[in-house]
Amino acid sequence: MERKKNYFAGPSVMPVEVLEKLKEDMVDFKGQGLSMIEASHRGGMFEEMYDQCLALFRELLGISDEYDVYFLGGGATLQFTMIPMNFLRPGSVADYIRSGTWSNKAADDAEKLGKVNYYYDGKANNYSSLPDPKTVKPSENSSYLYLCSNETIGGIEWQDFPDTGSVPLIGDMSSDIFSRPIPVDSFSMIYGGVQKNLGPAGATFIIMKKSLLEKQNSNLTAYMDYKLHSKNKGLYNTPPVFSIWAVKLVLEWIKANGGTEGMLKRAIEKSSIIYDTIDNSSFFRSPVDAAYRSRMNIVFRLPNEELEAKFVEESKKEGMLGLKGHRSVGGLRASIYNALPVEDVVALAQFMKEFERKNG
Ligand code: PMP
């Protein structure tokens, strides 16, 4: 079977070795006579795998004991609600950086639950840039400052992060987690859906500084309460077992491929191939401030929408999927997550050059 070249934004490409392992162990997990997805989450088989998954997660990101790490369901979207419910203190304000679709959705949800200050809104530049992290200062009496490290739709990514002092910094890293080392200690909370760099959709990872829980609001319903999840290591209710199992295998793949440093090298190599193709052409155009270009989601435009539609149609014939930009912004987008082979990025660059030769 020839696999497609997969540039979908999420769910997205998985390491083929991981898919093979899932297949191998699907019916009979390591000779135990049942599948991992048939086993109780209160039993040894799952718990052993889960503990290994969390340990590897911590090891690869260098997460200290000051933090809890676990998985929840509900997608990254549920966190848009849980964060303000837990941490936006009445009488205080939360600072949000509006940098595109995902941080805007989080800010809009927070606004329904408390007072929100827009520290920055990229609307004026069509969400093509970010504030200089060195200049970012939370407002006085702020409950937390919130940002999205990589806007999956707009294709902009923070390269460094603000120092918010004693104000907790919270980051949505759904689409660039494990693509590079991250300064976990600068954050009080990092979270994200796993369906880009980590595995099949279903689980949301939570990295939370234990001391953040001291500032939590009270009277929360069970599932909305981070303290309850922390106490139960994410196993208060049935966890997304399949997704977590696959995440464990993807983490092993990341470790075998050089950890986060290895992923960063891969990301630089792959994203440079496409950005160089764009920059060396007067046909393709990047709408994003070069200082904040995403290494995971490369957004680009052609001279007109007819050519963009043609590009998508012709790329499909070459077995290339997912190059159409998000319906809310149009244009083209190549998501080139960790698992996407370098050869598939080279193939895309060749296809782009050929398309320009024929249509430019
Ligand atoms: N944040 C970011 C950066 C995303 O890319 C997405 C989904 N693409 C979400 C949040 C929402 O995730 P979910 O669909 O898992 O709720």
Side-chain angles (χ1 to χ4, degrees):
M1 183 214 24
E2 190 170 336
R3 281 173 55 79
K4 301 280 189 199
K5 297 177 177 61
N6 183 342
Y7 312 95
F8 282 124
S12 46
V13 61
M14 298 259 301
V16 69
E17 299 92 322
V18 170
L19 297 176
E20 295 289 355
K21 272 201 186 130
L22 288 169
K23 183 173 147 191
E24 197 183 302
D25 282 343
M26 180 54 81
V27 177
D28 181 9
F29 183 79
K30 310 226 177 292
Q32 302 209 37
L34 77 167
S35 174
M36 179 60 78
I37 61 172
E38 296 175 301
S40 167
H41 65 292
R42 306 286 179 209
M45 186 166 137
F46 171 79
E47 283 178 349
E48 189 182 330
M49 182 280 292
Y50 188 54
D51 286 345
Q52 289 167 355
C53 179
L54 295 180
L56 201 49
F57 196 103
R58 284 178 174 280
E59 177 192 327
L60 290 171
L61 286 181
I63 302 174
S64 80
D65 289 346
E66 282 178 58
Y67 291 79
D68 287 317
V69 178
Y70 54 86
F71 295 95
L72 293 179
T77 301
L78 179 61
Q79 302 307 307
F80 299 167
T81 296
M82 283 179 73
I83 290 165
M85 264 193 176
N86 279 262
F87 303 124
L88 178 40
R89 290 188 311 275
S92 145
V93 62
D95 292 299
Y96 276 73
I97 293 182
R98 291 179 76 98
S99 58
T101 306
W102 295 110
S103 53
N104 291 1
K105 284 192 178 189
D108 291 347
D109 277 353
E111 216 171 345
K112 297 203 171 106
L113 295 164
K115 192 155 177 254
V116 170
N117 172 48
Y118 295 133
Y119 176 80
Y120 170 90
D121 188 348
K123 196 172 181 182
N125 57 44
N126 209 15
Y127 300 105
S128 64
S129 193
L130 290 170
D132 178 347
K134 286 193 214 68
T135 65
V136 175
K137 291 275 168 288
S139 40
E140 247 175 78
N141 188 31
S142 176
S143 286
Y144 58 85
L145 186 134
Y146 180 101
L147 59 82
C148 174
S149 62
N150 182 63
E151 286 284 357
T152 321
I153 292 177
I156 53 173
E157 186 175 24
W158 292 79
Q159 306 303 326
D160 297 297
F161 299 104
D163 176 358
T164 52
S166 60
V167 172
L169 177 62
I170 297 182
D172 171 0
M173 296 199 181
S174 294
S175 49
D176 66 346
I177 190 76
F178 284 99
S179 68
R180 52 176 171 169
I182 42 167
V184 174
D185 290 341
S186 303
F187 288 83
S188 289
M189 176 181 177
I190 299 170
Y191 76 94
V194 302
Q195 66 269 28
K196 291 118 179 11
N197 267 336
L198 279 176
T204 305
F205 65 86
I206 309 286
I207 306 169
M208 187 178 291
K209 202 167 194 169
K210 290 171 183 161
S211 59
L212 185 63
L213 288 172
E214 290 159 17
K215 301 178 178 173
Q216 191 198 25
N217 292 325
S218 54
N219 207 22
L220 297 160
T221 56
Y223 200 85
M224 293 295 152
D225 181 353
Y226 287 121
K227 205 173 272 166
L228 190 68
H229 292 305
S230 155
K231 216 184 319 167
N232 291 284
K233 251 184 7 184
L235 303 182
Y236 169 71
N237 69 330
T238 317
V241 171
F242 178 75
S243 181
I244 291 170
W245 173 30
V247 168
K248 182 202 171 235
L249 299 176
V250 172
L251 291 171
E252 286 170 354
W253 177 88
I254 291 173
K255 185 170 178 177
N257 285 278
T260 52
E261 289 289 353
M263 294 301 112
L264 174 62
K265 230 172 113 210
R266 254 172 103 81
I268 292 173
E269 179 187 355
K270 291 192 297 185
S271 58
S272 302
I273 292 170
I274 303 298
Y275 284 124
D276 286 351
T277 306
I278 294 169
D279 292 342
N280 292 327
S281 141
S282 50
F283 185 66
F284 296 103
R285 180 176 62 80
S286 161
V288 176
D289 182 343
Y292 302 109
R293 284 171 167 179
S294 170
R295 295 199 190 102
M296 293 287 106
N297 311 97
I298 303 183
V299 172
F300 56 103
R301 305 291 319 221
L302 289 182
N304 60 58
E305 288 181 8
E306 288 70 41
L307 278 173
E308 287 171 349
K310 189 174 175 194
F311 184 95
V312 172
E313 276 323 299
E314 292 192 1
S315 65
K316 278 188 196 152
K317 289 185 204 140
E318 299 297 320
M320 299 178 167
L321 301 183
L323 290 168
K324 194 171 188 301
H326 192 268
R327 59 191 185 281
S328 60
V329 293
L332 301 162
R333 171 178 56 171
S335 295
I336 57 166
Y337 296 119
N338 287 346
L340 187 76
V342 178
E343 305 87 74
D344 291 5
V345 176
V346 171
L348 173 59
Q350 273 162 359
F351 175 79
M352 288 168 73
K353 285 175 193 152
E354 188 61 17
F355 190 84
E356 176 174 8
R357 198 181 58 74
K358 287 193 201 140
N359 299 280

